Short mmCIF file of all heavy atoms in Angstrom, two decimals:
data_model
loop_
_atom_site.label_atom_id
_atom_site.label_comp_id
_atom_site.label_asym_id
_atom_site.label_seq_id
_atom_site.Cartn_x
_atom_site.Cartn_y
_atom_site.Cartn_z
N ASN A 1 0.88 -1.19 0.02
CA ASN A 1 0.02 0.05 -0.01
C ASN A 1 0.87 1.27 -0.01
O ASN A 1 2.13 1.17 -0.04
CB ASN A 1 -1.00 0.01 1.19
CG ASN A 1 -0.27 0.02 2.54
OD1 ASN A 1 0.95 0.27 2.63
ND2 ASN A 1 -1.04 -0.32 3.54
N ALA A 2 0.23 2.43 0.09
CA ALA A 2 0.99 3.71 0.05
C ALA A 2 1.99 3.83 1.17
O ALA A 2 3.02 4.48 1.02
CB ALA A 2 0.00 4.84 0.08
N ALA A 3 1.71 3.14 2.28
CA ALA A 3 2.67 3.20 3.47
C ALA A 3 3.79 2.18 3.33
O ALA A 3 4.64 2.09 4.26
CB ALA A 3 1.91 3.03 4.71
N GLY A 4 3.77 1.39 2.30
CA GLY A 4 4.80 0.35 2.11
C GLY A 4 4.50 -0.98 2.79
O GLY A 4 5.32 -1.87 2.74
N GLU A 5 3.29 -1.11 3.33
CA GLU A 5 2.97 -2.36 3.95
C GLU A 5 2.51 -3.43 2.97
O GLU A 5 1.83 -3.04 1.95
CB GLU A 5 1.77 -2.12 5.00
CG GLU A 5 2.07 -1.19 6.06
CD GLU A 5 0.79 -0.88 6.91
OE1 GLU A 5 -0.32 -0.93 6.33
OE2 GLU A 5 0.92 -0.50 8.07
N ARG A 6 2.92 -4.66 3.17
CA ARG A 6 2.57 -5.72 2.35
C ARG A 6 1.17 -6.21 2.70
O ARG A 6 0.92 -6.59 3.85
CB ARG A 6 3.51 -6.88 2.35
CG ARG A 6 4.89 -6.51 1.85
CD ARG A 6 5.87 -7.75 1.93
NE ARG A 6 5.57 -8.80 0.96
CZ ARG A 6 5.23 -9.99 1.18
NH1 ARG A 6 5.06 -10.32 2.48
NH2 ARG A 6 5.01 -10.87 0.20
N ARG A 7 0.22 -6.20 1.71
CA ARG A 7 -1.12 -6.70 1.95
C ARG A 7 -1.47 -7.75 0.89
O ARG A 7 -0.95 -7.70 -0.24
CB ARG A 7 -2.13 -5.59 1.83
CG ARG A 7 -1.80 -4.33 2.68
CD ARG A 7 -1.76 -4.66 4.15
NE ARG A 7 -3.00 -5.09 4.73
CZ ARG A 7 -3.24 -5.51 5.96
NH1 ARG A 7 -2.14 -5.57 6.76
NH2 ARG A 7 -4.42 -5.85 6.39
N TYR A 8 -2.27 -8.73 1.28
CA TYR A 8 -2.63 -9.78 0.37
C TYR A 8 -4.06 -9.53 -0.11
O TYR A 8 -5.02 -9.44 0.64
CB TYR A 8 -2.52 -11.16 1.08
CG TYR A 8 -2.49 -12.30 0.08
CD1 TYR A 8 -1.29 -12.78 -0.45
CD2 TYR A 8 -3.63 -13.03 -0.25
CE1 TYR A 8 -1.21 -13.74 -1.33
CE2 TYR A 8 -3.58 -14.10 -1.10
CZ TYR A 8 -2.36 -14.47 -1.66
OH TYR A 8 -2.26 -15.51 -2.53
N HIS A 9 -4.18 -9.40 -1.46
CA HIS A 9 -5.44 -9.03 -2.05
C HIS A 9 -6.00 -10.18 -2.87
O HIS A 9 -5.25 -10.92 -3.56
CB HIS A 9 -5.23 -7.86 -2.97
CG HIS A 9 -5.21 -6.53 -2.21
ND1 HIS A 9 -5.07 -5.30 -2.84
CD2 HIS A 9 -5.29 -6.28 -0.88
CE1 HIS A 9 -5.09 -4.35 -1.93
NE2 HIS A 9 -5.21 -4.93 -0.74
N SER A 10 -7.36 -10.32 -2.83
CA SER A 10 -8.09 -11.18 -3.73
C SER A 10 -8.76 -10.30 -4.71
O SER A 10 -9.68 -9.51 -4.30
CB SER A 10 -9.04 -12.07 -2.94
OG SER A 10 -9.82 -12.80 -3.78
N ILE A 11 -8.39 -10.33 -5.99
CA ILE A 11 -8.88 -9.37 -6.99
C ILE A 11 -9.73 -10.04 -7.96
O ILE A 11 -9.40 -11.16 -8.48
CB ILE A 11 -7.66 -8.71 -7.68
CG1 ILE A 11 -6.81 -7.97 -6.63
CG2 ILE A 11 -8.15 -7.73 -8.76
CD1 ILE A 11 -5.53 -7.43 -7.23
N THR A 12 -10.82 -9.41 -8.23
CA THR A 12 -11.84 -9.90 -9.25
C THR A 12 -11.99 -8.80 -10.33
O THR A 12 -12.27 -7.66 -9.94
CB THR A 12 -13.13 -10.31 -8.58
OG1 THR A 12 -13.02 -11.26 -7.66
CG2 THR A 12 -14.13 -10.83 -9.73
N LYS A 13 -11.92 -9.21 -11.59
CA LYS A 13 -12.13 -8.28 -12.72
C LYS A 13 -13.20 -8.82 -13.60
O LYS A 13 -13.10 -9.84 -14.16
CB LYS A 13 -10.85 -8.12 -13.47
CG LYS A 13 -9.74 -7.47 -12.59
CD LYS A 13 -8.43 -7.19 -13.36
CE LYS A 13 -7.45 -6.52 -12.40
NZ LYS A 13 -6.17 -6.18 -12.99
N ILE A 14 -14.31 -8.06 -13.70
CA ILE A 14 -15.57 -8.50 -14.41
C ILE A 14 -15.78 -7.59 -15.68
O ILE A 14 -16.00 -6.37 -15.53
CB ILE A 14 -16.78 -8.40 -13.52
CG1 ILE A 14 -16.50 -9.21 -12.20
CG2 ILE A 14 -18.00 -8.93 -14.24
CD1 ILE A 14 -17.60 -9.11 -11.16
N PRO A 15 -15.76 -8.16 -16.86
CA PRO A 15 -15.98 -7.39 -18.06
C PRO A 15 -17.48 -7.06 -18.30
O PRO A 15 -18.35 -7.91 -18.01
CB PRO A 15 -15.35 -8.21 -19.15
CG PRO A 15 -15.56 -9.63 -18.70
CD PRO A 15 -15.44 -9.60 -17.11
N LYS A 16 -17.75 -5.86 -18.71
CA LYS A 16 -19.16 -5.55 -19.10
C LYS A 16 -19.12 -5.44 -20.67
O LYS A 16 -18.45 -4.57 -21.24
CB LYS A 16 -19.59 -4.19 -18.50
CG LYS A 16 -20.91 -3.67 -18.98
CD LYS A 16 -22.08 -4.62 -18.58
CE LYS A 16 -23.40 -3.95 -18.89
NZ LYS A 16 -23.67 -3.82 -20.33
N LEU A 17 -19.94 -6.31 -21.27
CA LEU A 17 -19.92 -6.27 -22.76
C LEU A 17 -21.06 -5.42 -23.28
O LEU A 17 -22.22 -5.26 -22.79
CB LEU A 17 -20.15 -7.70 -23.25
CG LEU A 17 -19.17 -8.77 -22.75
CD1 LEU A 17 -19.46 -10.10 -23.39
CD2 LEU A 17 -17.72 -8.36 -22.95
N ASN A 18 -20.76 -4.77 -24.47
CA ASN A 18 -21.80 -3.97 -25.10
C ASN A 18 -22.66 -4.82 -26.00
O ASN A 18 -22.52 -6.02 -26.12
CB ASN A 18 -21.21 -2.77 -25.88
CG ASN A 18 -20.19 -3.21 -26.96
OD1 ASN A 18 -20.39 -4.34 -27.44
ND2 ASN A 18 -19.34 -2.33 -27.36
N GLU A 19 -23.56 -4.19 -26.75
CA GLU A 19 -24.49 -4.94 -27.59
C GLU A 19 -23.86 -5.66 -28.78
O GLU A 19 -24.39 -6.56 -29.28
CB GLU A 19 -25.61 -4.00 -28.15
CG GLU A 19 -24.98 -2.82 -28.95
CD GLU A 19 -26.04 -1.78 -29.37
OE1 GLU A 19 -27.22 -1.98 -29.06
OE2 GLU A 19 -25.71 -0.91 -30.14
N HIS A 20 -22.62 -5.26 -29.06
CA HIS A 20 -21.86 -5.91 -30.17
C HIS A 20 -20.96 -7.03 -29.62
O HIS A 20 -20.19 -7.67 -30.41
CB HIS A 20 -21.04 -4.90 -30.90
CG HIS A 20 -21.87 -3.76 -31.45
ND1 HIS A 20 -22.88 -3.97 -32.41
CD2 HIS A 20 -21.93 -2.49 -31.15
CE1 HIS A 20 -23.44 -2.80 -32.71
NE2 HIS A 20 -22.90 -1.85 -31.91
N GLY A 21 -20.95 -7.28 -28.28
CA GLY A 21 -20.11 -8.33 -27.70
C GLY A 21 -18.70 -7.92 -27.42
O GLY A 21 -17.86 -8.64 -27.03
N ALA A 22 -18.42 -6.58 -27.47
CA ALA A 22 -17.12 -6.03 -27.16
C ALA A 22 -17.10 -5.61 -25.77
O ALA A 22 -18.14 -5.20 -25.19
CB ALA A 22 -16.72 -4.92 -28.15
N VAL A 23 -15.87 -5.58 -25.13
CA VAL A 23 -15.78 -5.13 -23.73
C VAL A 23 -15.83 -3.61 -23.72
O VAL A 23 -15.07 -2.91 -24.18
CB VAL A 23 -14.42 -5.57 -23.10
CG1 VAL A 23 -14.34 -5.02 -21.65
CG2 VAL A 23 -14.31 -7.06 -23.15
N GLU A 24 -16.86 -3.16 -23.04
CA GLU A 24 -17.15 -1.70 -22.92
C GLU A 24 -16.32 -1.13 -21.77
O GLU A 24 -15.68 -0.09 -21.88
CB GLU A 24 -18.60 -1.49 -22.69
CG GLU A 24 -18.93 0.09 -22.62
CD GLU A 24 -20.45 0.25 -22.51
OE1 GLU A 24 -21.22 -0.69 -22.70
OE2 GLU A 24 -20.88 1.45 -22.23
N TYR A 25 -16.29 -1.85 -20.61
CA TYR A 25 -15.48 -1.47 -19.49
C TYR A 25 -15.32 -2.65 -18.55
O TYR A 25 -16.04 -3.68 -18.74
CB TYR A 25 -16.08 -0.23 -18.79
CG TYR A 25 -17.49 -0.39 -18.25
CD1 TYR A 25 -17.73 -1.04 -16.99
CD2 TYR A 25 -18.50 0.08 -18.99
CE1 TYR A 25 -19.03 -1.22 -16.52
CE2 TYR A 25 -19.82 -0.11 -18.52
CZ TYR A 25 -20.04 -0.75 -17.27
OH TYR A 25 -21.33 -0.90 -16.84
N VAL A 26 -14.45 -2.59 -17.60
CA VAL A 26 -14.20 -3.68 -16.70
C VAL A 26 -14.28 -3.14 -15.21
O VAL A 26 -13.60 -2.18 -14.88
CB VAL A 26 -12.74 -4.34 -16.87
CG1 VAL A 26 -12.55 -5.39 -15.76
CG2 VAL A 26 -12.71 -4.97 -18.27
N ILE A 27 -15.17 -3.85 -14.48
CA ILE A 27 -15.28 -3.48 -13.06
C ILE A 27 -14.36 -4.34 -12.22
O ILE A 27 -14.31 -5.55 -12.33
CB ILE A 27 -16.72 -3.72 -12.52
CG1 ILE A 27 -17.68 -2.88 -13.29
CG2 ILE A 27 -16.77 -3.47 -11.01
CD1 ILE A 27 -17.59 -1.39 -13.01
N CYS A 28 -13.47 -3.70 -11.47
CA CYS A 28 -12.41 -4.39 -10.66
C CYS A 28 -12.70 -4.19 -9.13
O CYS A 28 -13.17 -3.15 -8.70
CB CYS A 28 -11.07 -3.89 -10.91
SG CYS A 28 -10.67 -3.75 -12.78
N SER A 29 -12.45 -5.23 -8.46
CA SER A 29 -12.57 -5.18 -6.95
C SER A 29 -11.49 -5.92 -6.28
O SER A 29 -11.00 -6.89 -6.84
CB SER A 29 -13.94 -5.70 -6.42
OG SER A 29 -14.04 -7.10 -6.76
N ALA A 30 -11.08 -5.42 -5.08
CA ALA A 30 -9.96 -6.11 -4.35
C ALA A 30 -10.38 -6.26 -2.82
O ALA A 30 -10.75 -5.28 -2.21
CB ALA A 30 -8.66 -5.35 -4.40
N GLU A 31 -10.36 -7.43 -2.38
CA GLU A 31 -10.69 -7.75 -0.96
C GLU A 31 -9.32 -7.94 -0.25
O GLU A 31 -8.50 -8.70 -0.71
CB GLU A 31 -11.56 -9.00 -0.76
CG GLU A 31 -12.95 -8.84 -1.38
CD GLU A 31 -13.89 -8.06 -0.53
OE1 GLU A 31 -13.44 -7.75 0.61
OE2 GLU A 31 -15.01 -7.75 -1.00
N ASP A 32 -9.10 -7.22 0.86
CA ASP A 32 -7.88 -7.38 1.63
C ASP A 32 -8.06 -8.58 2.56
O ASP A 32 -8.87 -8.59 3.50
CB ASP A 32 -7.64 -6.13 2.53
CG ASP A 32 -6.26 -6.15 3.08
OD1 ASP A 32 -5.76 -7.32 3.44
OD2 ASP A 32 -5.65 -5.13 3.35
N ILE A 33 -7.40 -9.71 2.21
CA ILE A 33 -7.48 -10.94 2.98
C ILE A 33 -6.16 -11.28 3.65
O ILE A 33 -5.87 -12.47 3.89
CB ILE A 33 -7.98 -12.15 2.08
CG1 ILE A 33 -7.01 -12.30 0.91
CG2 ILE A 33 -9.41 -11.86 1.59
CD1 ILE A 33 -7.37 -13.65 0.13
N THR A 34 -5.48 -10.22 4.00
CA THR A 34 -4.16 -10.40 4.65
C THR A 34 -4.21 -11.26 5.94
O THR A 34 -3.42 -12.22 6.08
CB THR A 34 -3.50 -9.01 4.96
OG1 THR A 34 -3.45 -8.33 3.77
CG2 THR A 34 -2.06 -9.27 5.45
N GLU A 35 -5.14 -10.94 6.85
CA GLU A 35 -5.26 -11.62 8.07
C GLU A 35 -5.61 -13.15 7.82
O GLU A 35 -5.09 -14.01 8.56
CB GLU A 35 -6.27 -10.94 9.01
CG GLU A 35 -5.93 -9.45 9.37
CD GLU A 35 -4.47 -9.29 9.83
OE1 GLU A 35 -4.00 -10.13 10.63
OE2 GLU A 35 -3.83 -8.36 9.30
N GLN A 36 -6.50 -13.31 6.89
CA GLN A 36 -6.87 -14.70 6.52
C GLN A 36 -5.63 -15.48 6.04
O GLN A 36 -5.44 -16.62 6.48
CB GLN A 36 -7.97 -14.72 5.45
CG GLN A 36 -8.32 -16.11 5.03
CD GLN A 36 -9.36 -16.03 3.89
OE1 GLN A 36 -10.13 -15.10 3.82
NE2 GLN A 36 -9.28 -17.01 2.98
N LYS A 37 -4.82 -14.83 5.21
CA LYS A 37 -3.68 -15.49 4.65
C LYS A 37 -2.68 -15.71 5.78
O LYS A 37 -2.01 -16.84 5.75
CB LYS A 37 -3.02 -14.59 3.61
CG LYS A 37 -2.01 -15.20 2.76
CD LYS A 37 -2.51 -16.34 1.91
CE LYS A 37 -1.50 -16.95 1.02
NZ LYS A 37 -2.04 -18.09 0.22
N LYS A 38 -2.47 -14.84 6.75
CA LYS A 38 -1.56 -15.08 7.81
C LYS A 38 -2.02 -16.22 8.69
O LYS A 38 -1.24 -17.02 9.13
CB LYS A 38 -1.40 -13.77 8.64
CG LYS A 38 -0.68 -12.63 7.99
CD LYS A 38 -0.57 -11.47 8.87
CE LYS A 38 0.26 -10.32 8.22
NZ LYS A 38 0.33 -9.06 9.04
N ALA A 39 -3.36 -16.25 8.87
CA ALA A 39 -3.92 -17.37 9.70
C ALA A 39 -3.70 -18.68 9.03
O ALA A 39 -3.34 -19.71 9.70
CB ALA A 39 -5.39 -17.15 9.93
N GLU A 40 -3.86 -18.71 7.68
CA GLU A 40 -3.66 -19.93 6.92
C GLU A 40 -2.15 -20.35 6.99
O GLU A 40 -1.87 -21.64 7.14
CB GLU A 40 -4.04 -19.75 5.43
CG GLU A 40 -5.53 -19.59 5.25
CD GLU A 40 -5.88 -19.28 3.77
OE1 GLU A 40 -4.87 -19.03 3.03
OE2 GLU A 40 -7.08 -19.17 3.45
N ALA A 41 -1.29 -19.36 6.99
CA ALA A 41 0.16 -19.67 7.04
C ALA A 41 0.43 -20.32 8.39
O ALA A 41 1.29 -21.31 8.45
CB ALA A 41 0.97 -18.43 6.85
N LYS A 42 -0.17 -19.75 9.46
CA LYS A 42 0.06 -20.30 10.81
C LYS A 42 -0.50 -21.81 10.89
O LYS A 42 0.14 -22.67 11.41
CB LYS A 42 -0.53 -19.47 11.89
CG LYS A 42 0.20 -18.19 12.09
CD LYS A 42 -0.48 -17.41 13.26
CE LYS A 42 0.35 -16.13 13.63
NZ LYS A 42 -0.25 -15.35 14.68
N LEU A 43 -1.65 -21.96 10.37
CA LEU A 43 -2.28 -23.31 10.31
C LEU A 43 -1.45 -24.28 9.56
O LEU A 43 -1.24 -25.46 9.98
CB LEU A 43 -3.67 -23.21 9.71
CG LEU A 43 -4.79 -22.59 10.59
CD1 LEU A 43 -6.03 -22.50 9.75
CD2 LEU A 43 -5.01 -23.42 11.83
N ASN A 44 -0.86 -23.82 8.46
CA ASN A 44 0.06 -24.76 7.63
C ASN A 44 1.31 -25.08 8.52
O ASN A 44 1.76 -26.24 8.43
CB ASN A 44 0.45 -24.07 6.35
CG ASN A 44 -0.69 -24.00 5.38
OD1 ASN A 44 -1.63 -24.78 5.46
ND2 ASN A 44 -0.66 -22.99 4.48
N GLN A 45 1.81 -24.12 9.26
CA GLN A 45 2.98 -24.32 10.14
C GLN A 45 2.60 -25.40 11.20
O GLN A 45 3.36 -26.37 11.41
CB GLN A 45 3.46 -23.06 10.76
CG GLN A 45 4.16 -22.06 9.75
CD GLN A 45 4.55 -20.81 10.47
OE1 GLN A 45 4.23 -20.54 11.64
NE2 GLN A 45 5.27 -19.99 9.72
N TYR A 46 1.45 -25.22 11.82
CA TYR A 46 1.00 -26.16 12.87
C TYR A 46 0.88 -27.55 12.25
O TYR A 46 1.15 -28.57 12.78
CB TYR A 46 -0.28 -25.69 13.44
CG TYR A 46 -0.18 -24.41 14.24
CD1 TYR A 46 -1.21 -23.50 14.35
CD2 TYR A 46 0.90 -24.13 15.00
CE1 TYR A 46 -1.16 -22.36 15.08
CE2 TYR A 46 1.02 -22.99 15.70
CZ TYR A 46 -0.02 -22.08 15.81
OH TYR A 46 0.04 -20.97 16.49
N ALA A 47 0.24 -27.49 10.92
CA ALA A 47 0.00 -28.86 10.28
C ALA A 47 1.32 -29.48 10.03
O ALA A 47 1.39 -30.80 10.17
CB ALA A 47 -0.87 -28.59 9.01
N GLU A 48 2.31 -28.75 9.52
CA GLU A 48 3.65 -29.39 9.30
C GLU A 48 4.21 -29.91 10.53
O GLU A 48 4.76 -31.03 10.48
CB GLU A 48 4.49 -28.33 8.63
CG GLU A 48 4.14 -27.98 7.15
CD GLU A 48 4.91 -26.87 6.68
OE1 GLU A 48 5.87 -26.40 7.30
OE2 GLU A 48 4.68 -26.41 5.54
#
């Protein structure tokens, strides 16, 4: 991010097609799942 912190994002990009089937624009979204990823990493360590 702008502060230099590493964050883990789940990003989805959805195209919106016009009447001719061409991409008119793309809606993008990003969910910050950093804490979930860290928890998964810990669980993997415990599992190992």
Side-chain angles (χ1 to χ4, degrees):
N1 62 15
E5 298 173 332
R6 294 178 75 242
R7 309 300 295 175
Y8 198 84
H9 282 178
S10 175
I11 300 173
T12 302
K13 298 183 177 181
I14 306 173
K16 174 65 172 68
L17 306 183
N18 61 23
E19 58 184 3
H20 304 295
V23 177
E24 185 175 347
Y25 57 85
V26 175
I27 299 293
C28 308
S29 63
E31 296 283 352
D32 190 329
I33 57 171
T34 306
E35 300 311 315
Q36 176 185 329
K37 192 66 178 177
K38 289 180 178 178
E40 289 175 356
K42 286 185 178 180
L43 286 175
N44 288 335
Q45 289 177 352
Y46 293 146
E48 289 176 2

